[in-house]
Amino acid sequence: MSPGRTSLVLAAVAASAAAQSAALFAETHVAWSPQFYAGRQFIADITGDGLPDRVFANMIYAGNVAEIRPGIRDGLVPQQPTLVAAPSGPPCGSYRIAVGDVDGDGLLDIVATCCGTPSPSMWALTVHRNNGAGQFVFDATATSPGIRCGQQPLLVDVDRDGDLDLFLAAINPSNQLLINNGQGIFVDETPTRLPPPRTLAASVATALDVDNDGDQDILVGNGMALATLPTLYVNDGTGVFTDGIITAAPVPWWWIAVGDIDGNGYLDVFATEYGRSHILLNQQGALFETSVPFPATMNFVTATGILDADGDGDQDLIFARGAAPLGTRLLENLGGFQFRDISHRIQVSQLDATLGLFVGDIDGDGDEDVLEGNNFQTGGRILANTTRQLLIRNDPVRGSAMNVSAFGSAGHVFLHGISLGAVGMSIPPLGWFWLDPNLFTLYRVDHYSQRAELTIPILIPNIAALVGANACVQALDIEIATGDARLTNCPCRVIR
């Protein structure tokens, strides 16, 4: 190891820590240029390098169906986006996308729909196959002719044959169900699989096992018609659907989230129209809208999510707003359909108008994070779950301290490591170990008696050779009572 690298490690060993009040979510140092994106967004390892990628649809036609922002990691210089080119033809008004392995080759593909077309002959549904070399190739043979004006595609294995079928929530002429032949070719079997009437002015759809029978049912929101009820399709196990029982107000839905809100073992629904939100409780496979006294202002709600934000085993609610009062809001589930506003535990630099949310493990540390998408000011940002999380708070400068926030939970121990640069290897069940094993050093151990944020200043030696190198930190989180362990995320910053 070079003298510069040795000095970096010794400086880290001498660091101190100070306890602070802990947030449940903290804004990471991952940002995008302010733009307006439409359609669903996904976080998935679509490039196959172990790092999550952001995939989103383009709203305003620019010759591209979607963009992929590869290699999301806190502090890394963003890579150039991968553009998924639209087929030749008249420009399209807007796009929606779905991500999944449609042809069974182990690579994630993209399905896109288009609406607002200027020409009746314009395509409305396209499949773009991942060739494994960072390119997504349009396949004109993948879908049946006559697929029109898709509002949202949904990839789901409805007939339980091991491949992904395609449900299209559509506004012209109707919802459609296309069955995968096992090679990524979709055949329209709507008349024999969906019950009439199928013209529903649909805007959004999600898959869920509403009756706990092991197959995927489909819930459709009808945001294009003001007085149309949402629709529940119940799967018989072979991909043939009948109308399910759903009682809800005839209002447009633009976003659907599912989760077991009341703890009865069935998936409930948290849906929104622009301005109001709705909770539908699942009673053994039937959905009934329930009046809930929300503790926060629900005006201008644009997106919803369900997740266990505080680690207590029940499902909390999160929602975004597209107009004042701004800011993503978090509601703690107290049981008995009572919720408490704990939005102050979301740590952000500024409030923003947000039109989309993605809930999932974005940074690979085993807990659920949140992507705010479609932000007008920030272009989207990641709110990291602080159950176990490291954040570098400032750019490291040689001769100065790099401050690291280490969020941990009560009864846990963090073993902290540091390296110059990151490589990446999967270590099941611990997760991904990103620190370079040849340049890695364990530099401190911290014990958490309560959920807290520790501030750890790490002195960067005043050595010219360090300039331009990545300083990366990661920790192994161990629960003392059980011995269960999990690797945290791995933020990096370039030393200046």
Side-chain angles (χ1 to χ4, degrees):
M1 183 177 291
S2 71
R5 290 166 179 161
T6 302
S7 299
L8 178 63
V9 172
L10 292 177
V13 172
S16 60
Q20 302 174 353
S21 60
L24 290 176
F25 292 91
E27 179 181 3
T28 71
H29 191 69
V30 176
W32 294 273
S33 300
Q35 297 182 48
F36 184 78
Y37 304 126
R40 293 189 69 184
Q41 303 186 54
F42 296 86
I43 297 292
D45 182 15
I46 200 164
T47 57
D49 61 357
L51 283 173
D53 310 302
R54 182 189 183 194
V55 189
F56 54 86
N58 284 337
M59 179 175 184
I60 300 174
Y61 179 77
N64 303 307
V65 167
E67 293 187 22
I68 302 167
R69 298 298 175 94
I72 298 172
R73 185 192 289 145
D74 188 5
L76 287 187
V77 177
Q79 301 178 41
Q80 289 297 313
T82 297
L83 303 180
V84 181
S88 60
C92 184
S94 61
Y95 299 95
R96 296 291 180 97
I97 60 172
V99 175
D101 180 9
V102 302
D103 49 14
D105 62 356
L107 301 173
L108 295 178
D109 310 297
I110 293 176
V111 174
T113 60
C114 172
C115 204
T117 60
S119 168
S121 63
M122 176 60 182
W123 52 267
L125 175 67
T126 57
V127 175
H128 304 261
R129 298 188 190 277
N130 188 337
N131 68 1
Q135 298 173 325
F136 293 82
V137 182
F138 168 59
D139 184 355
T141 69
T143 61
S144 304
I147 307 300
R148 303 301 307 156
C149 200
Q151 188 66 15
Q152 184 188 315
L154 179 66
L155 288 170
V156 54
D157 183 8
V158 299
D159 52 6
R160 296 198 288 187
D161 64 352
D163 53 41
L164 293 174
D165 307 301
L166 178 60
F167 177 85
L168 183 62
I171 62 174
N172 180 20
S174 66
N175 294 331
Q176 292 175 289
L177 181 59
L178 286 73
I179 299 302
N180 193 331
N181 71 350
Q183 299 177 343
I185 305 299
F186 295 97
V187 179
D188 187 2
E189 298 186 11
T190 304
T192 60
R193 292 183 180 269
L194 290 185
R198 292 178 290 271
T199 304
L200 299 168
S203 61
V204 64
T206 192
L208 73 164
D209 184 2
V210 72
D211 48 7
N212 285 356
D213 64 352
D215 55 39
Q216 292 296 296
D217 311 299
I218 298 174
L219 177 62
V220 185
N222 302 309
M224 303 304 294
L226 297 180
T228 305
L229 291 169
T231 302
L232 176 63
Y233 292 125
V234 177
N235 194 338
D236 71 352
T238 68
V240 176
F241 292 84
T242 55
D243 288 315
I245 298 174
I246 181 169
T247 301
V251 295
W253 284 6
W254 287 102
W255 205 274
I256 301 173
V258 297
D260 185 7
I261 297 173
D262 57 1
N264 71 345
Y266 286 83
L267 293 175
D268 308 304
V269 176
F270 183 29
T272 184
E273 56 177 303
Y274 190 71
R276 290 179 293 178
S277 293
H278 309 267
I279 286 183
L280 281 70
L281 295 182
N282 189 333
Q283 301 297 322
Q284 297 183 344
L287 298 176
F288 300 95
E289 184 162 356
T290 302
S291 177
V292 173
F294 290 109
T297 302
M298 302 299 287
N299 293 339
F300 304 109
V301 175
T302 53
T304 57
I306 299 177
L307 75 168
D308 183 7
D310 48 8
D312 62 356
D314 56 28
Q315 297 294 290
D316 308 301
L317 307 181
I318 191 168
F319 63 90
R321 292 190 289 215
L326 300 177
T328 295
R329 311 296 292 181
L330 181 62
L331 304 183
E332 180 187 8
N333 191 343
L334 302 177
F337 311 120
Q338 299 296 311
F339 296 89
R340 176 170 58 193
D341 188 352
I342 55 172
S343 304
H344 63 282
R345 299 188 71 180
I346 300 177
Q347 187 183 93
V348 295
S349 57
Q350 70 179 67
L351 301 179
D352 197 2
T354 302
L355 298 184
L357 293 176
F358 176 92
V359 175
D361 184 7
I362 297 173
D363 53 15
D365 62 357
D367 51 38
E368 290 184 302
D369 311 298
V370 177
L371 167 66
E372 291 183 332
N374 303 356
N375 301 57
F376 292 111
Q377 299 299 321
T378 63
R381 61 185 169 191
I382 294 173
L383 306 178
N385 190 316
T386 62
T387 298
R388 60 182 68 84
Q389 187 71 202
L390 301 182
L391 295 177
I392 299 175
R393 294 298 193 179
N394 62 294
D395 290 330
V397 178
R398 61 189 181 102
S400 302
M402 179 179 73
N403 293 314
V404 176
S405 289
F407 296 86
S409 301
H412 287 241
V413 169
F414 271 27
L415 307 181
H416 290 274
I418 187 170
S419 76
L420 289 179
V423 179
M425 67 179 77
S426 178
I427 308 178
L430 301 180
W432 278 83
F433 180 69
W434 288 105
L435 299 180
D436 189 333
N438 297 315
L439 305 175
F440 158 73
T441 297
L442 178 70
Y443 71 92
R444 66 180 294 114
V445 177
D446 286 315
H447 173 260
Y448 291 83
S449 59
Q450 60 183 0
R451 185 163 185 152
E453 174 187 354
L454 303 180
T455 299
I456 306 171
I458 302 176
L459 180 62
I460 304 299
N462 192 9
I463 298 174
L466 294 176
V467 175
N470 274 311
C472 301
V473 292
Q474 191 173 22
L476 181 64
D477 174 18
I478 304 173
E479 185 176 10
I480 298 173
T482 64
D484 292 339
R486 180 82 190 198
L487 287 160
T488 70
N489 64 312
C490 178
C492 300
R493 294 285 185 93
V494 177
I495 299 173
R496 297 188 286 113

